[in-house]
Amino acid sequence: MKVKAYPHITRNRAILGGIPVVTGTRTPVRAIAGYYQMGMSADEILQSLPHLTLGQLHAALACYFDHQKEIDRDIARSNDMGYWKKQAEKLAKQPA
């Protein structure tokens, strides 16, 4: 993915593995995109995520629209129970 600067959106490997999130929160762009895909309006999304501002919401949607394929893959992966089961098994095998 070509990296663009979006106001209110950051990537940090220490936060959710480096996926795009709203700056100062742990709210991933994929969560906002998921609400959008469900047909929710901006006002409805803000009711569900009242800690966000309208500017943050629009920045997240702009990031989503510019990187829709990547974020849609991330949404699919985050909803894949088989994937998460394998991740949990890997963690369980790591020494404490």
Side-chain angles (χ1 to χ4, degrees):
M1 167 169 96
K2 184 177 179 184
V3 178
K4 281 186 175 181
Y6 296 91
H8 309 295
I9 305 300
T10 58
R11 286 176 175 257
N12 180 335
R13 284 203 156 282
I15 301 171
L16 299 178
I19 64 168
V21 298
V22 177
T23 305
T25 75
R26 291 181 57 85
T27 304
V29 169
R30 72 173 176 227
I32 295 165
Y35 284 137
Y36 173 80
Q37 289 175 347
M38 291 188 311
M40 293 175 73
S41 69
D43 288 336
E44 291 169 329
I45 295 170
L46 289 174
Q47 286 176 349
S48 296
L49 302 169
H51 62 285
L52 298 181
T53 66
L54 187 58
Q56 290 171 318
L57 173 67
H58 284 289
L61 289 173
C63 179
Y64 170 62
F65 293 135
D66 285 346
H67 307 286
Q68 192 165 356
K69 286 182 182 180
E70 176 191 353
I71 293 171
D72 284 345
R73 278 192 306 267
D74 190 32
I75 290 169
R77 185 174 46 249
S78 69
N79 290 329
D80 180 358
M81 293 306 291
Y83 171 82
W84 289 110
K85 184 177 178 181
K86 288 178 187 175
Q87 295 302 312
E89 289 169 354
K90 285 180 190 177
L91 286 174
K93 290 179 183 178
Q94 291 180 351

